[in-house]
Amino acid sequence: MAYYDTVAAELSPEVYSDPGLLGRELDGPFARSWLFGGPASWVEQPGAFYVTRVGRKAVVLWRDSAGVLGAYENRCARSEESIVAEPRGSAEELICGCHGWAYTRDGAKGSVPLKSMGAAVVDRGFVFVGRGSRTFREQLGEFAWYFDLIADSFAGGVVFHGELPLKTRLTCNWKLGVETYCGDQYRRLTVTKATTDALDKGEPNLTEGFQAAAGGGVVMLSAEYAETEVKALSATIFPNLSFDGDIGVLHVWHPVSANETEVHTYCLVAANDPQSVRDAKRRRCSLHFGPTGMETQDHEAVWSQITKISRGRRRRRAGLNLQMGLGHERRSNYPGQISDLVSEMGQRSFYAWWQAEIDAPVDPAVHEDKLQLMIRKPSAEEGAPLSSQQNQN
């Protein structure tokens, strides 16, 4: 079934509420893509681990005592309990709290082998986790140029400031957050206008710049402050990693269900920033995002209503219009196609990519892995699974 009409640039509202779509998304774009795992600096030293999500999977990134970085399922082999409960730390081996079992990468010396979630690669200070034959750079394609542009905009390199990301549960579909950071610069005149006015941020830039859609991502670029340089206003690496250049944060949109999303927001600073500047940027990040963030509340109010309304039978009869700027796409000396800054080319590019991904054949290895998880039952010896009160994810 086509949810997005690439010719008419119309999107079915069902993409925000159809519960059957989530399984196809997990088997398709999430299973085949390189996904953001966490900051490389948090797992830089031997023994360092970081508990996070990759899509819907609870994952622990761990650099073992041999210095090998891996991404592993954070689930005990004998129950549904997490192996690691602490969000960050260091350990020579991971000890399960429910049975006291020791887990290592390869099951050496009588330990239990960890289940790999795919390869873990470090690129420009970011850890990405993925499977398949493509490398991370091959997935990015022409968008690699913009990824490097963003990383290079932080003097001395990108630093993830703070002990942990801000985590927020939103009652909306995960794609609403993604599409916002694909090209919705004009939201600052509507959705977040109250926050913009309260913080006296001035009028947003809606003219000096352009959008670019290239390979595995889209970006909005401002050229208002220099004739020969551009600055990323926002960007998204498909499927679920977004960059907000105005505040200096990363958002990772983790689907929980068709109408619930867990957002992890990381504060980014430059390695050359003094401590006072770093702390000020962290406070600014918390002011805008997280459970009490002003912009988060603005977005939640709108996105939750869109998700709710999209479930109505009458609403599903009409497609959502994504035609702003349609026909004005063009080539330039920048990678990919470009369009005006105020355009829906970014959203169109994302949904065209998304439709192709959910239509593609499912990887048999991924399908088999999912099936085994569905049919697995605890043995009589181990009894019912323990509660997951300590599960950080």
Side-chain angles (χ1 to χ4, degrees):
M1 177 179 178
Y3 293 90
Y4 175 63
D5 186 331
T6 57
V7 176
E10 289 188 351
L11 181 71
S12 169
E14 291 180 276
V15 301
Y16 303 133
S17 56
D18 184 352
L21 263 180
L22 185 56
R24 295 176 64 183
E25 291 172 334
L26 296 175
D27 285 345
F30 280 90
R32 284 190 290 266
S33 300
W34 287 90
L35 305 174
F36 178 73
S41 59
W42 292 5
V43 286
E44 188 174 24
Q45 300 300 320
F49 65 80
Y50 170 51
V51 172
T52 185
R53 281 180 178 267
V54 175
R56 284 186 77 188
K57 291 284 189 179
V59 170
V60 55
L61 299 178
W62 183 42
R63 190 179 294 276
D64 63 19
S65 57
V68 177
L69 176 62
Y72 309 102
E73 184 177 12
N74 190 25
R75 184 175 67 86
C76 175
R78 195 175 178 182
S79 73
E80 298 300 319
E81 188 72 9
S82 302
I83 298 173
V84 183
E86 296 82 5
R88 286 181 64 183
S90 181
E92 293 186 2
E93 54 186 12
L94 304 181
I95 307 298
C96 175
C98 55
H99 297 98
W101 287 5
Y103 287 80
T104 60
R105 169 171 48 92
D106 52 9
K109 298 181 180 181
S111 62
V112 181
L114 290 159
K115 180 180 177 181
S116 174
M117 299 304 299
V121 301
V122 176
D123 196 312
R124 304 304 300 268
F126 302 75
V127 177
F128 290 91
V129 179
R131 302 179 183 179
S133 58
R134 292 185 305 175
T135 66
F136 170 61
R137 287 281 167 161
E138 288 172 340
Q139 174 181 307
L140 290 182
E142 287 186 294
F143 192 79
W145 189 89
Y146 298 105
F147 177 65
D148 289 335
L149 174 73
I150 293 171
D152 290 338
S153 68
F154 292 85
V158 180
V159 173
F160 290 76
H161 187 47
E163 290 298 315
L164 292 170
L166 301 172
K167 296 183 180 181
T168 315
R169 286 287 181 104
L170 305 178
T171 54
C172 67
N173 188 271
W174 67 276
K175 294 185 289 296
L176 284 164
V178 172
E179 70 170 67
T180 294
Y181 286 90
C182 281
D184 189 1
Q185 176 70 355
Y186 46 88
R187 75 185 185 280
R188 302 195 183 281
L189 292 177
T190 55
V191 177
T192 64
K193 180 172 174 52
T195 295
T196 299
D197 291 345
L199 300 179
D200 194 24
K201 294 177 64 177
E203 293 296 314
N205 169 32
L206 299 177
T207 57
E208 299 296 328
F210 58 94
Q211 292 188 20
V218 295
V219 62
M220 290 193 297
L221 296 150
S222 171
E224 62 179 331
Y225 70 102
E227 294 182 357
T228 59
E229 297 181 8
V230 292
K231 175 185 177 182
L233 297 171
S234 70
T236 292
I237 295 176
F238 302 152
N240 68 330
L241 177 63
S242 297
F243 169 71
D244 185 330
D246 182 39
I247 308 300
V249 301
L250 281 183
H251 299 299
V252 194
W253 314 96
H254 297 291
V256 177
S257 66
N259 56 12
E260 189 174 15
T261 301
E262 183 170 299
V263 189
H264 293 187
T265 299
Y266 297 82
C267 176
L268 305 180
V269 300
N272 293 351
D273 284 341
Q275 189 63 41
S276 59
V277 173
R278 295 186 181 198
D279 293 342
K281 289 183 177 180
R282 178 70 179 185
R283 288 193 295 271
R284 187 184 185 197
C285 173
S286 300
L287 178 64
H288 284 264
F289 302 110
T292 60
M294 296 175 70
E295 282 199 43
T296 295
Q297 303 308 313
D298 292 339
H299 288 142
E300 161 78 356
V302 175
W303 295 346
S304 61
Q305 285 301 305
I306 293 174
T307 301
K308 181 179 179 180
I309 293 172
S310 70
R311 295 195 291 264
R313 181 178 301 177
R314 180 177 298 178
R315 187 67 189 89
R316 293 199 300 267
R317 295 175 184 173
L320 301 175
N321 189 305
L322 296 179
Q323 297 173 2
M324 183 184 294
L326 184 63
H328 292 272
E329 300 88 350
R330 53 198 181 273
R331 284 280 179 173
S332 72
N333 58 328
Y334 288 95
Q337 283 193 319
I338 69 167
S339 185
D340 298 334
L341 186 60
V342 177
S343 168
E344 289 174 324
M345 182 187 72
Q347 291 94 323
R348 291 193 294 270
S349 299
F350 169 67
Y351 281 111
W353 175 90
W354 173 87
Q355 182 72 62
E357 285 290 320
I358 64 169
D359 287 342
V362 173
D363 185 337
V366 174
H367 181 71
E368 181 181 356
D369 177 63
K370 181 181 178 183
L371 181 62
Q372 290 300 319
L373 290 176
M374 290 173 62
I375 66 176
R376 178 188 179 277
K377 295 181 180 180
S379 65
E381 178 185 359
E382 62 183 304
L386 300 176
S387 65
S388 56
Q389 294 177 351
Q390 293 181 321
N391 191 335
Q392 297 295 319
N393 296 291

